[in-house]
Amino acid sequence: MAGIRLQPEDSDVSQQARAVALSAVDLVSDDDRSIAADSWSIKSEYGSTLDDDQRHADAAEALSNANLRATSDYSSDKDEPDSEAVSSMLGFQSYWDAAYTDELTNFREHGHAGEVWFGDDVMEVVASWTKTLCIDISQGRIPNHVDDVKEETGELGDKLLSSWNVLDIGTGNGLLLQELAKQGFSDLTGTDYSERGINLAQSLANRDGFPNIKFLVDDVLETKLEQVFQLVMDKGTLDAIGLHPDGPVKRMMYWDSVSSLVASGGILVITSCNSTKDELVQEVESFNQRKNAIALELEVAKDDESCREPLFRYVNHVRTYPTFMFGGSVGSRVATVAFLRK
């Protein structure tokens, strides 16, 4: 139970920051990090001796528990641990390069697709829920409860979805994009800063009959993309970014970058196992306040009321994930939240 994050349904108070993972001061080189990451890689936890179902079932728990792992393999610039910082090997690119090297080998040797972070069921819920949300918005409706909306099916639904261009940041093996393609989305792009992950995603898409999905190597924190997307998906990427020792700074970089990738009137859908719905909403509100403060400081918004409007606003969240009672609160392992960009 230690790694489970609770999701209060309509609380106005977000949970406090999590405990610190201690770090040492010796191991700093990328080579050493790769060795350390490989020793703790999915090969040891989900290696080729395990079947896909077991690998997928364990994946969400691994990420959710990451903030409780003591990671003595990485150095910190601080003498004392930051009480609001959480560090993990999952925050380093070297970990993901090692992980996807292992997954690519498993794919080539055994045909394994690799992990589905948070599991197949969550991925299917995210894709179908997002489809309903996008169809609703295409018809000029901003729903108050997406799960109760009857989705359009058939030719009308497919026609509406065909106008949405989609970006999946931190796409990994690209399986979420495949699921979105099954739902009717057709203009799909996945990016990841791990070239090995992109190689795996492209190989899987070609094998599974989705050759039109585009995959690019790109770091969302320093994105080179010059276009905007009506739908931007994030399933676990913000979680991993937050697990870096410089997580708070990198999360700010994340929002600055993502705000440039979502088109006006577009949607950002974040799925997290390390943040609750309320925490994600609060993080977006903090970003909006920071952007408005900068605009005011530069006198950009002095005489323009529209500049003072929130850049992102909460639209809805998935309410259909299984819940449980713990410590007097009702929660879920996973939160999926949608934000509308002005």
Side-chain angles (χ1 to χ4, degrees), residues 22-251:
L22 299 178
S23 57
V25 296
D26 299 308
L27 195 60
V28 295
S29 73
D30 285 340
D31 289 342
D32 287 341
R33 286 172 179 155
S34 294
I35 293 171
D38 188 55
S39 70
W40 194 74
S41 71
I42 54 174
K43 186 174 182 180
S44 62
E45 293 195 31
Y46 324 105
S48 59
T49 58
L50 304 181
D51 60 28
D52 282 346
D53 289 341
Q54 183 174 351
R55 288 155 58 97
H56 299 166
D58 292 342
E61 185 176 357
L63 185 55
S64 185
N65 289 340
N67 62 325
L68 299 179
R69 299 180 187 273
T71 55
S72 60
D73 295 324
Y74 296 103
S75 65
S76 172
D77 293 333
K78 301 180 180 180
D79 294 330
E80 297 295 331
D82 184 344
S83 63
E84 294 188 0
V86 178
S87 62
S88 165
M89 285 180 283
L90 276 73
F92 288 90
Q93 182 176 348
S94 55
Y95 168 80
W96 295 106
D97 284 338
Y100 287 123
T101 295
D102 185 57
E103 295 231 342
L104 195 56
T105 299
N106 283 335
F107 168 72
R108 289 169 176 168
E109 294 181 355
H110 309 289
H112 290 167
E115 290 102 20
V116 177
W117 284 107
F118 316 133
D120 290 302
D121 291 343
V122 167
M123 182 174 69
E124 292 169 3
V125 168
V126 169
S128 61
W129 180 86
T130 300
K131 170 187 177 179
T132 302
L133 176 65
C134 291
I135 289 176
D136 231 38
I137 291 174
S138 294
Q139 296 179 313
R141 299 194 300 264
I142 304 296
N144 292 320
H145 199 313
V146 171
D147 299 324
D148 290 340
V149 175
K150 182 179 180 181
E151 69 179 54
E152 301 286 348
T153 58
E155 292 184 5
L156 177 58
D158 290 342
K159 182 178 180 180
L160 293 172
L161 293 178
S162 66
S163 66
W164 288 77
N165 64 331
V166 182
L167 173 66
D168 181 26
I169 54 179
T171 193
N173 56 22
L175 294 183
L176 176 58
L177 288 172
Q178 291 194 26
E179 193 64 34
L180 290 170
K182 296 174 186 176
Q183 295 292 335
F185 293 94
S186 57
D187 188 350
L188 299 161
T189 301
T191 61
D192 201 291
Y193 66 2
S194 173
E195 183 176 359
R196 299 165 198 178
I198 291 298
N199 290 339
L200 174 63
Q202 190 67 69
S203 298
L204 287 168
N206 291 339
R207 183 198 69 178
D208 297 339
F210 300 98
N212 293 330
I213 299 178
K214 299 182 289 290
F215 292 102
L216 304 169
V217 177
D218 186 68
D219 184 349
V220 66
L221 300 185
E222 300 177 354
T223 181
K224 301 298 189 297
L225 299 181
E226 296 181 351
Q227 70 177 111
V228 294
F229 297 83
Q230 290 173 288
L231 172 61
V232 175
M233 305 291 295
D234 175 343
K235 186 164 72 69
T237 297
L238 184 59
D239 284 345
I241 289 171
L243 292 172
H244 190 279
D246 296 327
V249 173
K250 288 184 177 292
R251 288 176 83 106

Side-chain angles (χ1 to χ4, degrees), residues 10-27:
D10 292 306
S11 172
D12 293 330
V13 181
S14 65
Q15 294 183 4
Q16 297 298 316
R18 270 53 183 179
V20 178
L22 299 178
S23 57
V25 296
D26 299 308
L27 195 60

